[in-house]
Amino acid sequence: MLHRTPFFLPILYPGLLWRMPSDKKEIYLTFDDGPVPGPTEFVLDELKKHNLTATFFCIGDNIHKHPELFKRIMEEGHTVANHTFNHLKGWQTSLSTYIDNVKKCDQEIAINSSSPVVSYFRPPYGRITRAQIKALDNKKIVMWDVLTRDYDATLSPERCLKQSLNATRNGSIVVFHDSIKAEKNLRYVLPKYIEACLIKGYTFTSFHG
């Protein structure tokens, strides 16, 4: 079971962001699919305990449903980014529909924040066509170096933690999910993952600009 991105994907898609420069012991912690009451609040509380910032790739429809929770993410100093409005699979969606859905998420973020520009985008499921990539040339498309697979119900919390830590390295972009589906593993893994990485001398940071 792969927790680290296969080496050939960044070669095939060099224009996408898979991992940050590795000269520093930094980890870019990211969360997909929120804001969702329960999981997102848990994540924010855990980050606050260690005074850490992260990047939240938000679904526009969830922002619309939970605007106060979205505002809490921003108020606590985290970066918000686009994850489409309806969590669309790029491979199964026409170019025009996909781009319109990304723009709709941008609009929802703008309505609920003071920043009208959303610089970062992550395709749901990591699935995006070359035409969609080209059409989103105004955004930095962020993929990942470490996928925790916290959403996988067949993966025990202990194994999820172990495999995620084993895959982590300097410059890793790490994906957790602040979703109901991932909540069981998330609540076990995230605190222990953060603590283990801090002990190893890693610092955590978020995307900005």
Side-chain angles (χ1 to χ4, degrees), residues 44-161:
L44 290 171
D45 290 344
E46 288 301 314
L47 295 174
K48 184 182 286 188
K49 286 179 185 177
H50 298 282
N51 194 30
L52 304 181
T53 58
T55 304
F56 288 77
F57 288 87
C58 298
I59 294 173
D61 191 42
N62 283 341
I63 298 171
H64 182 73
K65 292 174 181 174
H66 312 293
E68 292 305 315
L69 189 50
F70 177 72
K71 288 176 182 176
R72 182 185 165 190
I73 293 172
M74 291 184 297
E75 287 170 356
E76 296 187 5
H78 305 290
T79 299
V80 294
N82 190 313
H83 200 45
T84 73
F85 193 87
N86 297 109
H87 206 254
L88 298 184
K89 293 181 179 178
W91 295 353
Q92 300 174 10
T93 309
S94 71
L95 177 60
S96 60
T97 298
Y98 195 80
I99 299 306
D100 285 348
N101 207 260
V102 172
K103 290 179 179 177
K104 188 175 181 181
C105 183
D106 273 353
Q107 291 165 0
E108 192 65 38
I109 291 173
I111 290 169
N112 289 280
S113 74
S114 57
S115 176
V117 178
V118 185
S119 302
Y120 297 99
F121 172 75
R122 175 174 286 153
Y125 311 100
R127 296 175 181 175
I128 188 168
T129 67
R130 292 189 184 276
Q132 290 162 355
I133 291 171
K134 185 176 180 180
L136 292 170
D137 61 356
N138 64 322
K139 294 193 182 300
K140 190 63 181 178
I141 300 177
V142 181
M143 303 300 275
W144 55 79
D145 184 50
V146 177
L147 181 63
T148 63
R149 298 187 179 273
D150 50 356
Y151 54 80
D152 186 348
T154 67
L155 186 64
S156 71
E158 294 81 7
R159 186 161 180 79
C160 180
L161 174 63

Side-chain angles (χ1 to χ4, degrees), residues 1-5 30-33 39 83 87 122-127 144 146-157 159-161 164 174-190:
M1 185 175 292
L2 293 174
H3 284 252
R4 181 182 288 169
T5 297
T30 69
F31 296 88
D32 286 5
D33 299 351
H83 200 45
H87 206 254
R122 175 174 286 153
Y125 311 100
R127 296 175 181 175
W144 55 79
V146 177
L147 181 63
T148 63
R149 298 187 179 273
D150 50 356
Y151 54 80
D152 186 348
T154 67
L155 186 64
S156 71
R159 186 161 180 79
C160 180
L161 174 63
S164 298
V174 182
V175 185
F176 283 91
H177 295 78
D178 50 331
S179 66
I180 297 299
K181 186 176 181 180
E183 188 170 16
K184 178 185 175 182
N185 280 342
L186 176 72
R187 286 183 177 272
Y188 177 88
V189 175
L190 182 62

Side-chain angles (χ1 to χ4, degrees), residues 3 26-31 46-47 50 52 145-148 157 160-176 185-200 202-204:
H3 284 252
E26 288 184 334
I27 296 171
Y28 287 73
L29 205 54
T30 69
F31 296 88
E46 288 301 314
L47 295 174
H50 298 282
L52 304 181
D145 184 50
V146 177
L147 181 63
T148 63
C160 180
L161 174 63
K162 181 180 179 180
Q163 297 290 80
S164 298
L165 286 170
N166 287 344
T168 299
R169 55 186 172 173
N170 290 8
S172 282
I173 299 171
V174 182
V175 185
F176 283 91
N185 280 342
L186 176 72
R187 286 183 177 272
Y188 177 88
V189 175
L190 182 62
K192 292 178 172 57
Y193 178 86
I194 290 174
E195 289 167 7
C197 288
L198 289 173
I199 289 170
K200 291 180 179 181
Y202 285 105
T203 58
F204 291 85

